[in-house]
Amino acid sequence: MNVININEASAKELLGYYQAKLDEEAREAKKAGKLVCWSASVAPPEMCVAMDIAMVYPETHAAGIGARKGSLDMLAVAEQKGYNLDICSYARVNLGYMELLKQEAMTGETPEKLANSPAARVPLPDLVITCNNICNTLLKWYENLAKELDIPCIIIDVPFNHTMPIQRRCKEYIAAQFEEAIKILEKVCGRKFDYDKFLEVQKQVQRSVEQWNRVASFAQLEPSPLNGFDLFNYMGLIVCARARDYAEITFKKFADELQAKYEAGQYAFGAAENEKCRVAWEGIAVWTYLGHTFKTLKKEGAVMVGSCYPGMWSLVYKPGDMLSMAEAYTKIYINTCLENRANVLKETAEKSHSEGAVMHLNRSCKLMGFLNNEGGEYLTKELGIPYVSFDGDQTDPRNYSEAQYETRVQALVEMIQERK
Ligand code: SF4
């Protein structure tokens, strides 16, 4: 791996460097006989990292494969195994990738689809950890990984919050599972849990989250120095490295750059007058068409300034307090009642001064998609702003139409201009 001067590197260089470093570390850990864990994106990494386990994140890995136009091969492998098209494409891409790694491990030969894949190489896991605070697909997906590979599966079961605020018994139920996970890790690792390191990791997560939220706050400025699509680009580190200082260092650099840019009168699209309107985006990015979704908005002068999705990793809690940590991991907006979800959406649109919203009706993600129509209607009723929706999918390119997206964006911008 190339060496980098952290103080002199740009945030973009740090992002690339740390993303590659995380994969490298997982490969090195495997070679050295250390444990590797595959983890759901909003499952708590604190316990595993405190036990020095290398972490790999299948959702982020699948997103990277999708962005590099390699997801169709992995989807084909999963579909041949019988995984239905209606299952989340992150799960199908990862289960396909796992199948190829497994074949390689069993035969000693690298399958062609794996050899030709643009995917960053990651090793097979020794254990997996999952959490249903963003969907229940993550339970069955990880159970299948554990069954196929005959490895332990740690599940943090998080109840859906039908009412707000979060009830104490719910926090206690989740905190008890953190304690149970610690016992499992002690058995798997064959040593006592390191509570001192655990506290340090919790503090690190808080520092990473603070800088992540600082970056997102720049979209509230008018004109915005932050192009909201950069939250998608940088998201890999808040998912995969919030328990390490990699995320904190990179986000701090990025936030400092945004501050300097704003002070110099430079904004998301360059000069102030290039920001013709501001829109919120609801849902996961279309990784397979990230450039197209961004450029279509840019062509209309529409800056994406608000999205609830990156806020899912705003996991603020008090280090040393298990109930507080439990609350942070259950308060994810898509794990709460419609009223709360709609209010989070409204608050995001309000704070970012969004004049319209683009809703991604994601074929993969039923729970997030559910918010879109009701959420859009709520925005129109409460804030009087228009919304449009489009059909898509985060990593299955067969479910996206460039023409449909373009016409929806044009319609939104026309509605925004009419209101003005
Ligand atoms: S994209 Fe949606 S369905 Fe798929 S893992 Fe994420 S939350 Fe679950």
Side-chain angles (χ1 to χ4, degrees), residues 59 88 90 134-135 137-138 141 284 334 364-366 394:
E59 286 141 275
C88 164
Y90 275 165
I134 52 174
C135 73
T137 301
L138 282 158
W141 167 7
I284 303 177
I334 55 169
S364 270
C365 192
K366 283 75 181 168
Q394 75 268 12

Side-chain angles (χ1 to χ4, degrees), residues 16 136 278 280 288 307 316 320 322 392:
N136 282 318
R278 301 165 66 88
T288 49
S307 178
V316 179
M322 281 296 212

Side-chain angles (χ1 to χ4, degrees), residues 183-367:
K183 283 188 203 143
I184 297 171
L185 287 174
E186 284 181 329
K187 263 196 213 149
V188 173
C189 298
R191 60 182 191 279
K192 283 275 171 211
F193 188 70
D194 187 339
Y195 280 95
D196 291 337
K197 185 153 182 219
F198 181 50
L199 183 61
E200 287 313 308
V201 174
Q202 288 181 312
K203 287 179 185 168
Q204 179 58 65
V205 169
Q206 293 312 298
R207 289 195 295 273
S208 302
V209 165
E210 189 186 335
Q211 292 301 327
W212 177 242
N213 288 341
R214 196 178 146 225
V215 168
S217 71
F218 279 92
Q220 294 169 16
L221 297 171
E222 279 187 279
S224 171
L226 176 69
N227 159 23
F229 276 75
D230 272 338
L231 290 175
F232 295 149
N233 290 328
Y234 281 77
M235 186 178 284
L237 287 185
I238 192 68
V239 174
C240 308
R242 60 185 180 273
R244 315 284 301 273
D245 63 1
Y246 303 172
E248 181 195 358
I249 292 168
T250 307
F251 299 151
K252 182 176 181 316
K253 178 60 74 80
F254 189 32
D256 291 346
E257 286 174 5
L258 288 167
Q259 181 68 44
K261 198 172 154 188
Y262 186 70
E263 284 165 11
Q266 283 295 308
Y267 308 103
F269 293 163
E273 58 269 25
N274 294 339
E275 180 180 302
K276 305 270 188 255
C277 63
R278 301 165 66 88
V279 298
W281 172 290
E282 184 45 34
I284 303 177
V286 184
W287 299 113
T288 49
Y289 283 93
L290 195 63
H292 182 257
T293 48
F294 166 63
K295 283 180 198 150
T296 304
L297 283 166
K298 190 175 180 197
K299 202 169 145 203
E300 302 291 335
V303 185
M304 196 275 267
V305 285
S307 178
C308 305
Y309 176 53
M312 292 204 317
W313 288 271
S314 176
L315 298 156
V316 179
Y317 62 81
K318 201 168 146 216
D321 180 344
M322 281 296 212
L323 288 185
S324 168
M325 181 171 147
E327 177 163 6
Y329 277 98
T330 186
K331 218 166 69 181
I332 316 297
Y333 79 109
I334 55 169
N335 193 48
T336 62
C337 55
L338 183 59
E339 191 187 353
N340 187 61
R341 290 165 65 145
N343 280 331
V344 171
L345 184 59
K346 182 184 156 206
E347 200 180 302
T348 305
E350 258 177 337
K351 274 191 183 164
S352 59
H353 314 284
S354 293
E355 299 162 286
V358 181
M359 313 300 244
H360 179 188
L361 288 177
N362 187 338
R363 171 79 183 258
S364 270
C365 192
K366 283 75 181 168
L367 197 57

Side-chain angles (χ1 to χ4, degrees), residues 3 24 26 37 53 68 70 80 113 123 125 133 160 168 187 197 208 222 231 288 307 330 342 344 358 416:
V3 182
E24 172 84 5
C37 177
I53 295 172
R68 294 186 194 112
Q80 265 166 12
K113 281 196 167 96
N133 54 0
F160 187 84
R168 186 177 172 90
K187 263 196 213 149
K197 185 153 182 219
S208 302
E222 279 187 279
L231 290 175
T288 49
S307 178
T330 186
V344 171
V358 181
I416 291 172

Side-chain angles (χ1 to χ4, degrees), residues 26 36-49 53-62 90 94 122-134 138-139 141-142 145 151-156 236 238-243 313 315 329:
V36 174
C37 177
W38 283 12
S39 171
S41 63
V42 203
E46 287 85 341
M47 286 89 75
C48 292
V49 174
I53 295 172
M55 305 300 286
V56 170
Y57 287 82
E59 286 141 275
T60 303
H61 188 247
Y90 275 165
N94 178 250
V122 293
L124 279 170
D126 303 292
L127 73 155
V128 293
I129 181 167
T130 193
C131 180
N132 55 349
N133 54 0
I134 52 174
L138 282 158
L139 295 188
W141 167 7
Y142 277 65
L145 286 172
I151 55 174
C153 177
I154 297 176
I155 293 176
I156 307 292
I238 192 68
V239 174
C240 308
R242 60 185 180 273
W313 288 271
L315 298 156
Y329 277 98

